[in-house]
Amino acid sequence: MFERIDEILTSSGLEHEFVELSVHHHGLDLDTVSARRAGGFARISAIALRSNIARHLTGLGHRGFCTRLADSQLLQWFLRVGGVGGIKTFAKSTSDRFGRWLDEPQLLEINTRLTARLAESTSSKCDIELTTPISFEDIYFDSTCLKAGIHFPIDWVLLRDATRTLMKATLLVRRAGLRKRMPQEPLDFLSDMNTLCMKMTAKRRSREGAKHRKAVLREMKKLARRVGGHAQRHLDVLAERHAETELSPGQVQQIIDQIEGVLAQLPAAIRQAHERIIGKRLVPNSDKILSLYDANVQVIVRGKSGAEVEFGNKLWLGETREGYIADYDLETVQTADTSHVLPALARLITEQALRVKSVWGDRGTASKENAAGLAELNVNCGLCPRDPSELATRLQEEPEMREGLKRRAGTEARISILNRAFLGDPARAKGIDNRKRLVGWAVLAHNLWVLARLPKRTDEAQSANDPRTGKGAQKDRAA
């Protein structure tokens, strides 16, 4: 598989284009730098591309992948880091830096260019050597939740998280030699909050459970405010006297960001817990704090068995009949599935000039606006109707409708493969920008994996299709 992916990266020119995008993204001026530096940057860019592909294929984290790389001759050959003189691998910090080598727009561009190469793979300009070229005539749409790596967002647990983060940051400031008066050590506040958390769950099933939780929450609120005050005072002294410590500027800024990020959300977290536990009032999803460390997490209500409510971001996918993901989009603002169909077709047909003839989707994608838009684009509408009688009529009168919807059910399996094998469940990325970058790498690795598993054209078939040596040329010479 790795040998086949290496052939695809080389024959399609994708690796060369990745290096060009890296040069532009990192602002490297090839006219002013030496040839040695330019060559070294190109080599590092190629290693970054191949390391991310291999890491997603193996499903390992940065540390585990670097350990595997040091022991695997195959991975060293694929990344081109092995040699006769010795093994030259890299550490997990370098692997993490490779994961952020390009941003999401550049990764979207490289995925789009791979799709364009497949659309023109029959030409001599780019031959990926597939027995049957990828067909983009049928596109199967579906969406899923890219789960965030957070615990279940219980309101009073947010106060525990805030206390833990603020007191650990305060402890770093005090260890650096900057102290403000406190009645007890920082970790003692964390112990007090943990005690209250255990009290919160003590009488959950008793008659006085609600009254007990309200009383405990009032104690939590007082403790959280005290913790916030101590953290603020230590933040002020760190900002004024950080030059007296041995902390580097980067470490100082990291501590400041850590404290400020939580202090800015602490009043809202206290208010949210008060409204829901003491006031018994609903808080709109748009106003909820689901995580103190990830502001872009959304509440996604899908009503599925075992996943009534999920927390993360909606991921939109469009795959071909062969399982190749031709379109994807990670939402920053939650919208209905019906609003994704026409923009996805605009990306496929208008921007990428793909010849899409039919689209298929479940009931969540069907609407009158989508049906009218598909008719204007002269694309067959295979979106499953919401009306059962209309669905029964179309299934009876249109045999291709039954076959298309049956094939679309396989998209659920494609989503599971992408989530579990390439993205991680939950995804190992915090923040919407990092998750978008993760999706871009995962889609690229997945598509290369799909292409590597497709039958490769043999030498006989390749020579038969070659206009210089094929049967057509033999007939011309005979004539």
Side-chain angles (χ1 to χ4, degrees):
M1 183 183 63
F2 279 106
E3 289 177 352
R4 180 69 179 123
I5 292 178
D6 177 72
E7 292 178 3
I8 294 173
L9 292 176
T10 305
S11 62
S12 66
L14 196 68
E15 185 174 31
H16 179 71
E17 294 190 359
F18 181 88
V19 173
E20 291 181 345
L21 287 174
S22 300
V23 169
H24 179 73
H25 176 69
H26 289 267
L28 186 66
D29 189 359
L30 297 180
D31 297 332
T32 58
V33 300
S34 63
R36 181 178 180 179
R37 183 184 176 188
F41 182 84
R43 179 178 176 275
I44 295 299
S45 299
I47 294 176
L49 169 65
R50 291 171 176 260
S51 67
N52 282 286
I53 294 173
R55 183 167 55 84
H56 281 85
L57 286 173
T58 55
L60 298 172
H62 293 291
R63 186 188 299 273
F65 175 74
C66 292
T67 303
R68 174 79 64 84
L69 176 61
D71 187 55
S72 173
Q73 293 182 355
L74 174 62
L75 290 179
Q76 294 167 20
W77 169 84
F78 182 72
L79 268 64
R80 299 174 181 172
V81 295
V84 178
I87 300 173
K88 296 181 180 180
T89 60
F90 43 81
K92 61 181 180 64
S93 58
T94 303
S95 178
D96 177 70
R97 188 161 57 249
F98 285 159
R100 294 178 279 106
W101 192 256
L102 292 182
D103 291 336
E104 185 268 338
Q106 289 79 31
L107 291 173
L108 178 61
E109 176 67 21
I110 205 69
N111 279 290
T112 302
R113 293 188 183 186
L114 177 59
T115 302
R117 290 292 185 270
L118 292 171
E120 61 182 19
S121 60
T122 56
S123 65
S124 59
K125 177 182 178 182
C126 172
D127 193 357
I128 301 182
E129 300 181 358
L130 297 177
T131 301
T132 304
I134 298 291
S135 173
F136 297 96
E137 294 183 354
D138 295 298
I139 301 295
Y140 304 87
F141 289 132
D142 205 350
S143 66
T144 185
C145 175
L146 182 63
K147 295 182 182 180
I150 63 173
H151 56 66
F152 194 85
I154 302 173
D155 303 301
W156 51 269
V157 176
L158 293 178
L159 302 185
R160 184 205 65 183
D161 294 342
T163 301
R164 177 180 298 172
T165 301
L166 293 177
M167 288 297 95
K168 285 189 174 182
T170 300
L171 183 61
L172 294 177
V173 177
R174 295 174 67 85
R175 286 177 176 174
L178 303 179
R179 293 174 174 263
K180 298 292 289 187
R181 180 172 296 180
M182 295 178 66
Q184 56 192 38
E185 291 299 318
L187 295 185
D188 293 337
F189 285 97
L190 182 56
S191 178
D192 294 342
M193 181 60 75
N194 288 336
T195 301
L196 293 176
C197 289
M198 289 186 284
K199 288 179 62 177
M200 179 66 78
T201 59
K203 297 183 179 181
R204 195 165 62 91
R205 297 184 178 180
S206 65
R207 289 184 178 181
E208 300 178 354
K211 183 177 180 180
H212 172 76
R213 287 193 295 273
K214 292 180 181 180
V216 175
L217 180 63
R218 291 186 178 97
E219 296 183 48
M220 283 186 169
K221 289 165 56 179
K222 293 179 182 179
L223 181 58
R225 292 191 180 99
R226 290 176 59 198
V227 167
H230 290 306
Q232 181 64 57
R233 286 189 286 274
H234 281 80
L235 174 64
D236 295 337
V237 72
L238 177 64
E240 295 175 0
R241 300 167 51 192
H242 61 85
E244 302 176 12
T245 67
E246 296 181 356
L247 298 174
S248 66
Q251 292 174 328
V252 171
Q253 189 61 43
Q254 180 70 21
I255 297 175
I256 291 176
D257 294 341
Q258 189 175 355
I259 297 178
E260 288 182 344
V262 175
L263 283 180
Q265 302 177 78
L266 184 59
I270 294 175
R271 190 183 318 112
Q272 174 177 307
H274 177 90
E275 290 295 308
R276 287 169 57 85
I277 298 177
I278 296 180
K280 298 292 183 181
R281 290 181 286 269
L282 295 177
V283 177
N285 286 339
S286 58
D287 298 336
K288 286 180 182 177
I289 298 177
L290 302 177
S291 173
L292 296 174
Y293 317 105
D294 198 336
N296 301 107
V297 178
Q298 302 167 356
V299 181
I300 301 179
V301 182
R302 304 179 67 86
K304 293 187 175 182
S305 175
E308 179 71 24
V309 180
E310 296 175 297
F311 303 96
N313 299 91
K314 181 181 290 186
L315 176 59
W316 174 264
L317 297 173
E319 67 161 346
T320 66
R321 184 172 292 275
E322 297 83 3
Y324 178 89
I325 298 177
D327 181 72
Y328 68 94
D329 181 42
L330 186 66
E331 282 189 341
T332 54
V333 178
Q334 187 176 173
T335 57
D337 285 354
T338 53
S339 62
H340 284 273
V341 175
L342 295 181
L345 281 177
R347 292 191 293 267
L348 292 171
I349 298 177
T350 305
E351 298 178 10
Q352 302 186 50
L354 300 178
R355 298 178 181 178
V356 180
K357 294 184 178 180
S358 301
V359 296
W360 311 88
D362 57 14
R363 288 175 177 165
T365 60
S367 68
K368 294 182 179 179
E369 292 79 7
N370 287 338
L374 293 175
E376 292 179 2
L377 295 172
N378 197 23
V379 175
N380 177 47
C381 180
L383 306 179
C384 182
R386 296 173 182 262
D387 187 359
S389 60
E390 181 184 353
L391 174 60
T393 301
R394 291 196 62 182
L395 290 177
Q396 184 177 3
E397 297 178 354
E398 305 175 19
E400 65 277 5
M401 184 71 175
R402 182 183 300 273
E403 193 277 333
L405 290 181
K406 184 177 180 180
R407 166 58 186 83
R408 194 222 66 81
T411 307
E412 302 286 348
R414 183 63 49 189
I415 287 176
S416 179
I417 291 172
L418 184 66
N419 270 332
R420 297 175 183 272
F422 293 92
L423 287 170
D425 192 15
R428 298 176 179 176
K430 288 185 179 181
I432 190 63
D433 294 334
N434 292 326
R435 280 199 288 276
K436 284 187 174 183
R437 189 184 296 114
L438 174 66
V439 170
W441 282 120
V443 169
L444 178 61
H446 169 272
N447 286 340
L448 291 172
W449 173 73
V450 169
L451 295 176
R453 296 169 70 241
L454 291 176
K456 180 182 177 182
R457 191 167 66 228
T458 60
D459 295 337
E460 291 79 6
Q462 185 174 359
S463 60
N465 293 331
D466 193 336
R468 297 170 296 179
T469 62
K471 294 182 180 179
Q474 294 175 6
K475 291 182 180 178
D476 293 339
R477 286 194 294 268

